[in-house]
């Protein structure tokens, strides 16, 4: 059976699947990323894991994978197939696509983890059917994916969608990117956790605890939460003004608060827009499988383009 390898590389673990032509998952597997052993060990682990998946497909489905799609964090040059930089994995300028192609003997597509997850959400998840969507992941940081007609825009230099570094509070908290007042310093899950730990006096409190306290009517939690919602709305309205998406998909850890987040966020966006059209605001649907599913889509897209080239006279 024809299938592809889909591999999502995270800071601590790797999720993988063998995906059939209709997107059906034929096999799943997980491995530790092994970042404690250094970037060379991480790369070796990726290559070895991909080779195992390749062998599994050949044994169980009558033929090896026809292609592979790989999603990685950090700065990614998708056109050249290079993992440029990832702070949490410690690598720089790794020609990952070429290394995997040499190891597997099949074409390989390399993608940015959030853009790849956004591709899956837009095409087969919460944004299915939307011609224009914006996917925003609220995790340790904040990143986005700009969807246009079934594909995700990487930008001229691979930086498209970095909504977390829109400045929403000029002169505010310093950000590791070098600016001050970036959106992710106020509205990421990490930022809410930090603010609530300070406000509650509990150093172990996190964003999920804050959301629970909001639901119980705690005024301190309400203030922390509203500060994050207001900052998020400011950043999103800037993005809406530039991109005019039909659907706005919110994922990541903070989105797990459900309507505790979405109800005030819809209201805050509504108060801010003037001429802009308010998009449909929906939670992400695919959870932590989005990156892996998106990697599979990248692989099938690559095969489709290869097939077209082969039949062109």
């Amino acid at each position: 059976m024809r299938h592809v390898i889909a591999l999502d590389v995270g800071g601590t673990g790797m999720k993988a699947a063998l995906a059939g032509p209709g997107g059906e998952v034929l096999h799943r597997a997980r491995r530790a990323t092994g970042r404690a052993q250094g970037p060379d060990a991480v790369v070796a682990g990726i290559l070895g894991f991909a080779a195992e998946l390749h062998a599994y497909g050949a044994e169980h489905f009558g033929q090896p994978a026809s292609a592979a799609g790989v999603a990685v964090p950090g700065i990614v040059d998708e056109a050249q197939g290079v993992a440029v930089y990832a702070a949490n994995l410690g690598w720089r300028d790794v020609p990952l696509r070429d290394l995997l192609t040499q190891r597997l003997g099949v074409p390989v597509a390399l993608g940015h983890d959030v853009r790849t997850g956004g591709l899956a959400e837009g095409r087969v998840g919460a944004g299915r059917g939307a011609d224009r969507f914006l996917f925003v992941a609220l995790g340790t940081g904040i990143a986005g994916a700009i969807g246009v007609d079934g594909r995700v825009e990487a930008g001229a230099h691979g930086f498209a969608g970095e909504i977390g570094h829109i400045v929403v509070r000029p002169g505010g908290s310093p950000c590791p990117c070098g600016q001050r007042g970036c959106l992710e310093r106020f509205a990421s899950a990490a930022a809410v956790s930090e603010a609530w730990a300070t406000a509650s006096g509990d150093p172990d409190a996190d964003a999920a605890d804050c959301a629970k306290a909001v639901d119980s009517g705690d005024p301190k939690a309400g203030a922390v939460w509203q500060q994050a919602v207001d900052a998020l709305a400011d950043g999103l309205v800037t993005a809406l003004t530039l991109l005019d998406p039909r659907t706005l998909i919110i994922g990541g850890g903070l989105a797990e608060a459900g309507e505790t987040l979405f109800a005030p966020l819809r209201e805050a966006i509504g108060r801010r827009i003037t001429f802009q059209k308010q998009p449909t605001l929906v939670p992400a649907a695919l959870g932590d499988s989005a990156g892996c599913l998106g990697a599979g889509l990248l692989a099938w897209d690559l095969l489709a383009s290869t097939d077209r080239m082969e039949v062109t006279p």
Side-chain angles (χ1 to χ4, degrees):
M1 181 179 184
R2 201 178 194 208
H3 63 277
V4 298
I5 295 169
L7 181 56
D8 179 19
V9 179
T12 57
M14 297 183 281
K15 297 182 286 291
L18 299 180
E24 64 274 22
V25 175
L26 307 174
H27 171 67
R28 294 183 188 271
R30 290 178 180 255
R31 292 285 187 283
T33 303
R35 63 179 180 176
Q37 283 73 51
D40 290 342
V42 172
V43 173
I46 293 170
L47 298 177
F49 192 19
E52 289 178 27
L53 294 162
H54 192 259
Y56 185 97
E59 180 181 353
H60 291 84
F61 303 114
Q63 63 184 91
S66 300
V70 183
V72 298
I75 300 171
V76 183
D77 185 337
E78 297 173 3
Q80 297 300 316
V82 175
V84 178
Y85 174 70
N88 57 353
L89 295 177
W91 63 29
R92 287 184 182 273
D93 299 321
V94 179
L96 199 53
R97 184 180 65 193
D98 288 349
L99 292 172
L100 283 162
T101 299
Q102 292 167 12
R103 184 69 173 266
L104 302 176
V106 300
V108 176
L110 184 69
H112 179 273
D113 57 352
V114 174
R115 287 197 293 268
T116 301
L119 175 67
E121 283 289 353
R123 198 182 292 181
V124 301
R128 183 195 294 263
D131 56 346
R132 302 286 191 279
F133 70 87
L134 175 62
F135 168 71
V136 178
L138 308 175
T140 303
I142 297 178
I146 302 164
V148 182
D149 291 334
R151 65 178 181 83
V152 170
E153 174 59 48
H157 307 95
F159 297 150
E162 290 293 345
I163 185 174
H165 297 290
I166 291 176
V167 174
V168 295
R169 300 291 181 266
S173 301
C175 179
C177 79
Q179 301 183 116
R180 300 183 72 92
C182 287
L183 175 60
E184 70 175 39
R185 295 297 300 132
F186 297 92
S188 63
V192 173
S193 294
E194 181 181 342
W196 179 233
T198 299
S200 67
D202 179 359
D204 296 322
D206 61 14
D209 296 323
C210 185
K212 292 175 183 175
V214 170
D215 290 338
S216 70
D218 186 310
K220 288 185 179 179
V224 167
W225 197 256
Q226 192 61 50
Q227 180 183 32
V229 167
D230 286 339
L232 182 56
D234 287 339
L236 290 175
V237 169
T238 297
L240 303 183
T241 304
L242 291 171
L243 302 173
D244 187 28
R246 198 173 307 279
T247 304
L248 175 56
I249 307 165
I250 306 293
L254 210 60
E256 294 176 6
E259 283 302 299
T260 301
L261 174 67
F262 285 90
L265 183 58
R266 289 189 190 97
E267 181 182 348
I269 292 173
R271 290 198 308 269
R272 285 162 171 77
I273 60 174
T274 54
F275 65 90
Q276 305 94 332
K277 295 294 185 181
Q278 185 155 352
T280 303
L281 178 63
V282 295
L286 302 176
D288 69 355
S289 65
C292 196
L293 291 172
L297 293 173
L298 289 179
W300 283 115
D301 286 353
L302 180 60
L303 278 178
S305 65
T306 303
D307 292 345
R308 284 195 298 269
M309 290 174 63
E310 290 177 350
V311 300
T312 300

